[in-house]
Amino acid sequence: MPPRAATDTDTSAPGGRVNLLDFDARGLRDFFTSLDEKPYRAQQVLKWVFHQAEPDIGKMTDLGIALRQRLGEIAEIGFPEVIREQRSVDGTCKWLMGLADGNAVETVFIPEPKRGTLCVSSQVGCALNCSFCATGAQGFARNLSTAEIIGQVWLAARALGHERNGQRRITNVVMMGMGEPLLNFDNVTAAMSLMRDDLGFGLAAKRVTLSTAGLVPGIYRLRDALDVALAVSLHAPVDDLRSGLVPLNRKYPIAELMRACRDYVSEKHKRTVTFEYTLIDGVNDRPEHARKLVKLLRSLPSKLNLIPFNPFPGTQYRCSGSDAIARFQEIVMDGGLIATVRKTRGEDIDAACGQLTGQFFDRTRRSDRIKMKITDTRQ
Ligand code: SAH
């Protein structure tokens, strides 16, 4: 098998140097084999990078001088660059991570009493255009490379340091930042494999979560590729309502999505799925929606995460009132579902769900197309 590296994003450094963080452990072993080096060199490099936080190839003393020199000529270990760090009054941190091509994505750390969750981006922008999400409203530029995804975790881990007892502060990673991770399958799964790998961050399967808007073929592929937790952004119990919120639903309607989720959690795979449901005032937060949701999810080993809608400039939607949220939760719990309401965090630094916009060049020129449409209808 050829070395596994970024497939659809050319991130090679000027001069064509290969970024060693674009490989997962297996890919890196294959890379060293292709250089006629022993595969265990991969293990040495990964330990330096992830266990010793030492990304300078020149300082990896156990590689030997000749190999270090050779690697110095053909390879590099390259990360995004932290452009800005913001800290919320509630302890949430947000970083704007600059990429070599001038784009930037956002990464968020949410500390809680017993865990610390890092929310990582998978794409620059997002092509799915969910009507309630600030990222989608901005258009799509490109997929992130494996190095740009795992690099967010590495940089955040370095910035956060350790707890007083020596524990790492990042205990969980969720692919819930900018982008649709299953539309960047190869790079996202390679990066998640480094999050899971003992040579990387060594996180348990249930602590690494991929969140999808419902890309059905991707869910089946993920099932066979990697052992991680799955979250599905549902937001509505019926197709017409869901298609208005998540346009991808027109391609993969709820029944197909449920089949894929059922398969993901089947006996053989012993997993659960978390459904995310953003509560939007007067849109999807009525008791009848809650009752239909119970019917839909009752027979599936799953959890429901209710997310109060987070507003962003230009949106028409509003967050559901606290009474509507409490009533919704009561109905689904009475119906036998396990449901939690996600606390909104990092509001003062625009770090809450759906508020990440980063900074990028819109290759889809969505803003122009929208302007054209408006002009058309006026003629
Ligand atoms: N594309 C993936 C991952 C990114 S979104 C997905 O759709 O799952 C992460 C979560 O935040 C999703 O559940 C998304 O629906 C939710 N979200 C997006 N915009 C939001 C907003 N304005 N308020 C609350 N939640 C939002």
PDB file of all heavy atoms in Angstrom, residues 174-194:
ATOM      1  N   VAL A 174     -13.728  16.719  19.406  1.00  0.00           N
ATOM      2  CA  VAL A 174     -14.929  16.594  18.572  1.00  0.00           C
ATOM      3  C   VAL A 174     -14.694  17.314  17.243  1.00  0.00           C
ATOM      4  O   VAL A 174     -14.219  18.437  17.215  1.00  0.00           O
ATOM      5  CB  VAL A 174     -16.187  17.164  19.284  1.00  0.00           C
ATOM      6  CG1 VAL A 174     -16.564  16.301  20.480  1.00  0.00           C
ATOM      7  CG2 VAL A 174     -15.997  18.599  19.731  1.00  0.00           C
ATOM      8  N   MET A 175     -15.023  16.621  16.147  1.00  0.00           N
ATOM      9  CA  MET A 175     -14.894  17.269  14.832  1.00  0.00           C
ATOM     10  C   MET A 175     -16.192  18.050  14.592  1.00  0.00           C
ATOM     11  O   MET A 175     -17.027  17.670  13.780  1.00  0.00           O
ATOM     12  CB  MET A 175     -14.674  16.213  13.734  1.00  0.00           C
ATOM     13  CG  MET A 175     -13.416  15.384  13.851  1.00  0.00           C
ATOM     14  SD  MET A 175     -11.869  16.317  13.875  1.00  0.00           S
ATOM     15  CE  MET A 175     -11.947  17.216  12.358  1.00  0.00           C
ATOM     16  N   MET A 176     -16.343  19.133  15.355  1.00  0.00           N
ATOM     17  CA  MET A 176     -17.565  19.931  15.286  1.00  0.00           C
ATOM     18  C   MET A 176     -17.258  21.399  15.014  1.00  0.00           C
ATOM     19  O   MET A 176     -18.078  22.281  15.282  1.00  0.00           O
ATOM     20  CB  MET A 176     -18.353  19.837  16.606  1.00  0.00           C
ATOM     21  CG  MET A 176     -18.978  18.502  16.859  1.00  0.00           C
ATOM     22  SD  MET A 176     -19.998  18.545  18.320  1.00  0.00           S
ATOM     23  CE  MET A 176     -20.281  16.800  18.589  1.00  0.00           C
ATOM     24  N   GLY A 177     -16.057  21.652  14.520  1.00  0.00           N
ATOM     25  CA  GLY A 177     -15.733  23.032  14.164  1.00  0.00           C
ATOM     26  C   GLY A 177     -16.251  23.326  12.767  1.00  0.00           C
ATOM     27  O   GLY A 177     -17.312  22.844  12.368  1.00  0.00           O
ATOM     28  N   MET A 178     -15.481  24.093  12.012  1.00  0.00           N
ATOM     29  CA  MET A 178     -15.933  24.457  10.668  1.00  0.00           C
ATOM     30  C   MET A 178     -15.842  23.255   9.730  1.00  0.00           C
ATOM     31  O   MET A 178     -14.879  22.504   9.764  1.00  0.00           O
ATOM     32  CB  MET A 178     -15.038  25.583  10.129  1.00  0.00           C
ATOM     33  CG  MET A 178     -15.109  26.847  10.972  1.00  0.00           C
ATOM     34  SD  MET A 178     -13.802  28.018  10.559  1.00  0.00           S
ATOM     35  CE  MET A 178     -14.209  28.385   8.860  1.00  0.00           C
ATOM     36  N   GLY A 179     -16.885  23.114   8.878  1.00  0.00           N
ATOM     37  CA  GLY A 179     -16.805  22.108   7.823  1.00  0.00           C
ATOM     38  C   GLY A 179     -17.588  20.837   8.081  1.00  0.00           C
ATOM     39  O   GLY A 179     -18.041  20.582   9.195  1.00  0.00           O
ATOM     40  N   GLU A 180     -17.734  20.043   7.025  1.00  0.00           N
ATOM     41  CA  GLU A 180     -18.383  18.731   7.121  1.00  0.00           C
ATOM     42  C   GLU A 180     -17.281  17.674   7.022  1.00  0.00           C
ATOM     43  O   GLU A 180     -16.739  17.416   5.936  1.00  0.00           O
ATOM     44  CB  GLU A 180     -19.407  18.580   5.990  1.00  0.00           C
ATOM     45  CG  GLU A 180     -19.926  17.169   5.773  1.00  0.00           C
ATOM     46  CD  GLU A 180     -20.434  16.485   7.051  1.00  0.00           C
ATOM     47  OE1 GLU A 180     -21.179  17.109   7.822  1.00  0.00           O
ATOM     48  OE2 GLU A 180     -20.058  15.319   7.272  1.00  0.00           O
ATOM     49  N   PRO A 181     -16.928  17.041   8.146  1.00  0.00           N
ATOM     50  CA  PRO A 181     -15.769  16.132   8.148  1.00  0.00           C
ATOM     51  C   PRO A 181     -15.879  14.976   7.158  1.00  0.00           C
ATOM     52  O   PRO A 181     -14.871  14.564   6.591  1.00  0.00           O
ATOM     53  CB  PRO A 181     -15.710  15.614   9.586  1.00  0.00           C
ATOM     54  CG  PRO A 181     -16.884  16.159  10.295  1.00  0.00           C
ATOM     55  CD  PRO A 181     -17.517  17.223   9.484  1.00  0.00           C
ATOM     56  N   LEU A 182     -17.083  14.467   6.919  1.00  0.00           N
ATOM     57  CA  LEU A 182     -17.184  13.312   6.015  1.00  0.00           C
ATOM     58  C   LEU A 182     -17.012  13.705   4.549  1.00  0.00           C
ATOM     59  O   LEU A 182     -16.840  12.846   3.693  1.00  0.00           O
ATOM     60  CB  LEU A 182     -18.513  12.572   6.223  1.00  0.00           C
ATOM     61  CG  LEU A 182     -18.635  11.807   7.549  1.00  0.00           C
ATOM     62  CD1 LEU A 182     -19.988  11.115   7.641  1.00  0.00           C
ATOM     63  CD2 LEU A 182     -17.505  10.792   7.726  1.00  0.00           C
ATOM     64  N   LEU A 183     -17.023  14.997   4.258  1.00  0.00           N
ATOM     65  CA  LEU A 183     -16.700  15.433   2.895  1.00  0.00           C
ATOM     66  C   LEU A 183     -15.192  15.604   2.718  1.00  0.00           C
ATOM     67  O   LEU A 183     -14.723  15.984   1.648  1.00  0.00           O
ATOM     68  CB  LEU A 183     -17.429  16.738   2.560  1.00  0.00           C
ATOM     69  CG  LEU A 183     -18.925  16.602   2.222  1.00  0.00           C
ATOM     70  CD1 LEU A 183     -19.555  17.965   2.027  1.00  0.00           C
ATOM     71  CD2 LEU A 183     -19.124  15.745   0.969  1.00  0.00           C
ATOM     72  N   ASN A 184     -14.439  15.366   3.768  1.00  0.00           N
ATOM     73  CA  ASN A 184     -12.972  15.404   3.713  1.00  0.00           C
ATOM     74  C   ASN A 184     -12.469  14.120   4.357  1.00  0.00           C
ATOM     75  O   ASN A 184     -11.651  14.132   5.279  1.00  0.00           O
ATOM     76  CB  ASN A 184     -12.472  16.657   4.447  1.00  0.00           C
ATOM     77  CG  ASN A 184     -10.960  16.821   4.368  1.00  0.00           C
ATOM     78  OD1 ASN A 184     -10.294  16.151   3.569  1.00  0.00           O
ATOM     79  ND2 ASN A 184     -10.423  17.696   5.202  1.00  0.00           N
ATOM     80  N   PHE A 185     -13.001  13.011   3.869  1.00  0.00           N
ATOM     81  CA  PHE A 185     -12.901  11.725   4.560  1.00  0.00           C
ATOM     82  C   PHE A 185     -11.462  11.285   4.848  1.00  0.00           C
ATOM     83  O   PHE A 185     -11.105  10.981   5.985  1.00  0.00           O
ATOM     84  CB  PHE A 185     -13.630  10.652   3.749  1.00  0.00           C
ATOM     85  CG  PHE A 185     -13.810   9.378   4.506  1.00  0.00           C
ATOM     86  CD1 PHE A 185     -14.945   9.173   5.270  1.00  0.00           C
ATOM     87  CD2 PHE A 185     -12.835   8.395   4.487  1.00  0.00           C
ATOM     88  CE1 PHE A 185     -15.114   8.009   6.009  1.00  0.00           C
ATOM     89  CE2 PHE A 185     -12.988   7.226   5.220  1.00  0.00           C
ATOM     90  CZ  PHE A 185     -14.128   7.032   5.980  1.00  0.00           C
ATOM     91  N   ASP A 186     -10.620  11.244   3.806  1.00  0.00           N
ATOM     92  CA  ASP A 186      -9.290  10.654   3.980  1.00  0.00           C
ATOM     93  C   ASP A 186      -8.442  11.448   4.971  1.00  0.00           C
ATOM     94  O   ASP A 186      -7.775  10.884   5.837  1.00  0.00           O
ATOM     95  CB  ASP A 186      -8.566  10.567   2.630  1.00  0.00           C
ATOM     96  CG  ASP A 186      -9.214   9.528   1.725  1.00  0.00           C
ATOM     97  OD1 ASP A 186      -9.894   8.629   2.256  1.00  0.00           O
ATOM     98  OD2 ASP A 186      -9.059   9.628   0.498  1.00  0.00           O
ATOM     99  N   ASN A 187      -8.461  12.775   4.828  1.00  0.00           N
ATOM    100  CA  ASN A 187      -7.618  13.586   5.704  1.00  0.00           C
ATOM    101  C   ASN A 187      -8.142  13.583   7.140  1.00  0.00           C
ATOM    102  O   ASN A 187      -7.371  13.544   8.104  1.00  0.00           O
ATOM    103  CB  ASN A 187      -7.541  15.024   5.178  1.00  0.00           C
ATOM    104  CG  ASN A 187      -6.921  15.083   3.794  1.00  0.00           C
ATOM    105  OD1 ASN A 187      -6.346  14.102   3.327  1.00  0.00           O
ATOM    106  ND2 ASN A 187      -7.038  16.222   3.136  1.00  0.00           N
ATOM    107  N   VAL A 188      -9.477  13.607   7.274  1.00  0.00           N
ATOM    108  CA  VAL A 188     -10.078  13.600   8.616  1.00  0.00           C
ATOM    109  C   VAL A 188      -9.809  12.260   9.306  1.00  0.00           C
ATOM    110  O   VAL A 188      -9.416  12.228  10.479  1.00  0.00           O
ATOM    111  CB  VAL A 188     -11.597  13.896   8.542  1.00  0.00           C
ATOM    112  CG1 VAL A 188     -12.304  13.516   9.844  1.00  0.00           C
ATOM    113  CG2 VAL A 188     -11.832  15.373   8.232  1.00  0.00           C
ATOM    114  N   THR A 189      -9.981  11.145   8.598  1.00  0.00           N
ATOM    115  CA  THR A 189      -9.763   9.854   9.271  1.00  0.00           C
ATOM    116  C   THR A 189      -8.279   9.637   9.580  1.00  0.00           C
ATOM    117  O   THR A 189      -7.943   9.058  10.617  1.00  0.00           O
ATOM    118  CB  THR A 189     -10.324   8.660   8.465  1.00  0.00           C
ATOM    119  OG1 THR A 189      -9.858   8.752   7.120  1.00  0.00           O
ATOM    120  CG2 THR A 189     -11.837   8.643   8.491  1.00  0.00           C
ATOM    121  N   ALA A 190      -7.384  10.127   8.727  1.00  0.00           N
ATOM    122  CA  ALA A 190      -5.947  10.005   9.052  1.00  0.00           C
ATOM    123  C   ALA A 190      -5.629  10.812  10.318  1.00  0.00           C
ATOM    124  O   ALA A 190      -4.921  10.337  11.218  1.00  0.00           O
ATOM    125  CB  ALA A 190      -5.093  10.487   7.880  1.00  0.00           C
ATOM    126  N   ALA A 191      -6.189  12.030  10.409  1.00  0.00           N
ATOM    127  CA  ALA A 191      -5.929  12.871  11.599  1.00  0.00           C
ATOM    128  C   ALA A 191      -6.562  12.243  12.843  1.00  0.00           C
ATOM    129  O   ALA A 191      -5.951  12.220  13.924  1.00  0.00           O
ATOM    130  CB  ALA A 191      -6.476  14.284  11.377  1.00  0.00           C
ATOM    131  N   MET A 192      -7.775  11.688  12.693  1.00  0.00           N
ATOM    132  CA  MET A 192      -8.428  11.069  13.861  1.00  0.00           C
ATOM    133  C   MET A 192      -7.690   9.809  14.282  1.00  0.00           C
ATOM    134  O   MET A 192      -7.671   9.455  15.464  1.00  0.00           O
ATOM    135  CB  MET A 192      -9.892  10.745  13.535  1.00  0.00           C
ATOM    136  CG  MET A 192     -10.750  11.988  13.380  1.00  0.00           C
ATOM    137  SD  MET A 192     -12.476  11.561  13.050  1.00  0.00           S
ATOM    138  CE  MET A 192     -13.184  11.682  14.680  1.00  0.00           C
ATOM    139  N   SER A 193      -7.069   9.134  13.312  1.00  0.00           N
ATOM    140  CA  SER A 193      -6.293   7.958  13.666  1.00  0.00           C
ATOM    141  C   SER A 193      -5.066   8.361  14.524  1.00  0.00           C
ATOM    142  O   SER A 193      -4.696   7.650  15.461  1.00  0.00           O
ATOM    143  CB  SER A 193      -5.939   7.215  12.382  1.00  0.00           C
ATOM    144  OG  SER A 193      -4.683   6.675  12.428  1.00  0.00           O
ATOM    145  N   LEU A 194      -4.504   9.534  14.246  1.00  0.00           N
ATOM    146  CA  LEU A 194      -3.407  10.033  15.097  1.00  0.00           C
ATOM    147  C   LEU A 194      -3.918  10.463  16.481  1.00  0.00           C
ATOM    148  O   LEU A 194      -3.205  10.367  17.474  1.00  0.00           O
ATOM    149  CB  LEU A 194      -2.693  11.213  14.424  1.00  0.00           C
ATOM    150  CG  LEU A 194      -1.787  10.862  13.240  1.00  0.00           C
ATOM    151  CD1 LEU A 194      -1.354  12.126  12.497  1.00  0.00           C
ATOM    152  CD2 LEU A 194      -0.559  10.065  13.692  1.00  0.00           C
TER     153      LEU A 194
END
